[in-house]
Amino acid sequence: MKVGVLALQGASARHVAMLTRLGVQPLAVRSPAELDAVDALVLPGGESTTISMLLESSGLVEPLAARLSAGMPAFGTCAGMILLGREIIDGRPDQRCFEVVDITVRRNAFGRQIDSFEADLAVTGTGDAPVHAVFIRAPVVETVGEGVEILATVDGQPVLCRQGPVLVAAFHPELGDDPRLHELFLSEVV
Ligand code: GLN
């Protein structure tokens, strides 16, 4: 199985490092041909409006939408979560999302950059030790559809969700030293 990391903009390098540490040799995905070569994809944090524009200009929107609707496992973190949700609030009007997780996501709703914060989360399916989570201009999940499992919350708000083979986190699990969420994602891939 080949795992890709979307590398158009944003925090792809730490995802690559984490996956490499877990024994997976990830492929950077910047083109439809590179997408064809992978069985699963990480969509990193960054700026979802910019990633959306770069997906358009690199011809990835249609092929990625097709792969996702055909059931490709995916892991979206922060901006990646915004891209995989059903609806974006406070987005740019031309910003795309792929609608594979039935959530409504409000951009930057935890505040501005200065309001970024960290939290220890109890995460379903990762054992007893909390997961230390870094939130950077994070999105808030405002509504959750029936098919969505909520795996972690902060103050009652979902911050880690799963629908079928797609996992989304409002935070940055690639920062720090804890591989458990990448392991959770990889368990969908094998
Ligand atoms: N605020 C960014 C966006 O709207 C997401 C921030 C992040 O990925 N850390 O895309």
Side-chain angles (χ1 to χ4, degrees):
M1 288 298 217
K2 265 283 169 206
V3 177
V5 178
L6 187 66
L8 297 172
Q9 187 266 343
S12 60
R14 298 292 286 267
H15 281 289
V16 167
M18 190 66 94
L19 291 165
T20 304
R21 175 178 153 189
L22 292 173
V24 171
Q25 283 183 338
L27 201 76
V29 170
R30 298 189 183 88
S31 68
E34 286 163 345
L35 178 65
D36 278 348
V38 302
D39 304 295
L41 187 67
V42 175
L43 288 81
E47 181 48 58
S48 59
T49 54
T50 306
I51 296 174
S52 179
M53 271 168 20
L54 293 170
L55 284 167
E56 302 266 6
S57 60
S58 56
L60 272 164
V61 171
E62 300 310 327
L64 180 52
R67 290 298 303 280
L68 288 167
S69 60
M72 176 177 68
F75 185 15
T77 61
C78 206
M81 171 191 247
I82 296 168
L83 286 159
L84 291 169
R86 181 175 56 75
E87 190 189 337
I88 304 167
I89 303 168
D90 290 344
R92 273 174 49 138
D94 59 349
Q95 147 166 40
R96 286 290 305 238
C97 61
F98 290 97
E99 304 181 35
V100 284
V101 181
D102 188 4
I103 53 174
T104 304
V105 181
R106 186 180 292 277
R107 291 180 60 226
N108 300 334
F110 277 120
R112 297 162 304 155
Q113 192 80 36
I114 199 162
D115 300 319
S116 296
F117 65 100
E118 305 189 10
D120 286 319
L121 309 178
V123 175
T124 307
T126 57
D128 287 341
V131 170
H132 188 70
V134 179
F135 293 80
I136 304 170
R137 292 178 65 226
V140 163
V141 175
E142 291 212 335
T143 66
V144 175
E146 263 178 24
V148 179
E149 261 177 288
I150 298 170
L151 303 181
T153 58
V154 169
D155 295 335
Q157 280 166 316
V159 294
L160 180 67
C161 299
R162 180 166 60 196
Q163 182 161 13
V166 182
L167 185 65
V168 286
F171 53 94
H172 283 264
E174 78 283 10
L175 300 178
D177 201 30
D178 188 345
R180 285 177 292 164
L181 293 190
H182 289 78
E183 286 170 341
L184 193 64
F185 162 58
L186 290 176
S187 70
E188 296 290 340
V189 180
V190 288

